[in-house]
Amino acid sequence: MARVVVDVMPKPEILDPQGQAVANALPRLGFDGVTAVRQGKHFELEVADDVDDATLAKIAETFLANPVIEDWTVRRVEA
Amino acid sequence: MRVGVITFPGTLDDVDAQRAVRYADGEAVPLWHADRDLQNVDAVIVPGGFSYGDYLRAGAIARFAPVMQEVVEAAHKGMPVLGICNGFQVLAEAHLLPGALTRNHELHFVCRDQWLRVENNTTAWTTRYDRDAEILVPLKSGEGSYQADADTLKQLEDENRIVFRYVGENPNGSLNDIAGISNARGNVVGLMPHPEHAIDALTGPTDDGLGMFLSLLDLVVNA
């Protein structure tokens, strides 16, 4: 088994109201100096060893992310 | 006229969509998400709600339901398909319509009666309206902000595929005030507001939404 991490982020040109809301809340909580926040999704997949990179990319592109509005990265990590 | 209305786990507005079909003298045929059979319907409505709990993204899981595989195939052959609210999100995820629906720009769930302008009255679902007619129907959604890249937006504008636009203040941050769009052929239409909730002044703000279902009836009767 391998552990695979897929990170999905809104594209830079797409408005991210959730990230903005977090950024706007930080000064109110007394945390200064954070100029921008983008909010995305982080997936951890446990996959069999015979699942290849092309398949992982397809999972990310066709399902975990919507490429119209989101960018994605896939990486294998130590379990 | 037999009109299929899909029910996914988490669908809410299938009953009102069926009622709207009956108001237009059509036969409403319930379609279950796990069935591959469209039961010889003449058209399909993908109604609103929170299919599969909106997990992952709204519409992302519903897109892969067995019934949707059949809907995609039928739509490509020209069958009229209407996606309302969550149904619009499902059709976008299924690539029957371009772009995507994202969180409302101010993060509020918007629930109100909303004026729309009919910008294209040549689609399968809008021939009963005058061009530039303004209609009042409920809008109730948290992820209704229409987003697409500049090329897609230009194509939609150039090809007259923006079917409905919000009138007055933009309720959710949709680009170009887009409330609904169609595919190139005009048989597939998706919109965030709810025409099926506005078919009788007794139960909705107006009966302005009924025209969408009557338009479909005209199409099938005249075919």
Side-chain angles (χ1 to χ4, degrees):
Chain A
M1 296 288 283
R3 175 165 293 175
V4 172
V5 169
V6 180
D7 286 312
V8 175
M9 292 298 293
K11 289 188 172 186
E13 67 271 25
I14 296 286
L15 182 71
D16 175 21
Q18 294 179 97
Q20 286 180 352
V22 173
N24 293 340
L26 285 169
R28 294 202 299 273
L29 298 171
F31 299 107
D32 294 319
V34 179
T35 55
V37 175
R38 305 282 289 172
Q39 180 177 323
K41 300 188 185 105
H42 173 96
F43 300 88
E44 295 180 352
L45 287 62
E46 303 293 330
V47 303
D49 292 331
D50 59 352
V51 177
D52 62 16
D53 288 349
T55 301
L56 293 173
K58 198 170 178 193
I59 290 169
E61 181 162 26
T62 60
F63 188 42
L64 299 183
N66 179 348
V68 174
I69 49 171
E70 294 166 327
D71 294 323
W72 51 269
T73 59
V74 175
R75 64 182 196 275
R76 294 176 184 269
V77 298
E78 295 295 320
Chain B
M1 176 184 65
R2 288 166 58 81
V3 182
V5 178
I6 297 177
T7 301
F8 300 102
T11 294
L12 299 176
D13 298 324
D14 44 351
V15 175
D16 268 20
Q18 291 170 13
R19 175 170 172 261
V21 168
R22 291 195 300 271
Y23 263 59
D25 286 331
E27 180 189 352
V29 179
L31 298 176
W32 184 237
H33 69 108
D35 292 342
R36 290 195 169 275
D37 182 6
L38 292 186
Q39 301 186 36
N40 294 317
V41 295
D42 301 299
V44 168
I45 297 173
V46 188
F50 298 87
S51 57
Y52 299 91
D54 273 357
Y55 294 160
L56 187 58
R57 294 178 307 278
I61 298 177
R63 170 200 168 190
F64 292 100
V67 75
M68 280 306 300
Q69 316 293 318
E70 303 301 315
V71 169
V72 168
E73 197 174 308
H76 285 143
K77 291 177 185 164
M79 178 184 280
V81 176
L82 175 66
I84 302 168
C85 195
N86 190 227
F88 184 13
Q89 295 162 338
V90 173
L91 297 185
E93 284 283 342
H95 307 307
L96 284 177
L97 293 170
L101 286 309
T102 63
R103 286 290 290 269
N104 293 349
H105 64 334
E106 287 173 337
L107 293 175
H108 295 143
F109 190 98
V110 173
C111 184
R112 69 186 195 204
D113 297 332
Q114 173 72 46
W115 285 100
L116 309 176
R117 190 168 52 248
V118 180
E119 302 249 327
N120 179 341
N121 65 349
T122 65
T123 77
W125 300 90
T126 53
T127 52
R128 279 280 183 128
Y129 297 105
D130 292 330
R131 213 206 123 126
D132 294 329
E134 296 192 356
I135 65 173
L136 182 66
V137 300
L139 174 70
K140 46 166 194 164
S141 46
E143 299 187 29
S145 180
Y146 183 79
Q147 302 291 320
D149 62 36
D151 290 345
T152 303
L153 273 181
K154 183 173 187 315
Q155 187 180 21
L156 290 173
E157 295 279 4
D158 290 349
E159 295 178 359
N160 193 27
R161 287 167 55 189
I162 294 166
V163 182
F164 298 102
R165 248 188 263 267
Y166 297 115
V167 174
E169 190 187 353
N170 186 324
N172 52 28
S174 285
L175 295 176
N176 296 24
D177 298 328
I178 288 172
I181 58 171
S182 76
N183 66 347
R185 193 169 176 171
N187 62 309
V188 180
V189 169
L191 78 168
M192 287 310 298
H194 287 267
E196 83 284 17
H197 292 333
I199 59 167
D200 185 329
L202 181 68
T203 52
T206 61
D207 61 1
D208 291 352
L210 189 58
M212 295 197 72
F213 306 94
L214 293 170
S215 298
L216 176 73
L217 181 77
D218 290 348
L219 181 81
V220 174
V221 168
N222 295 334

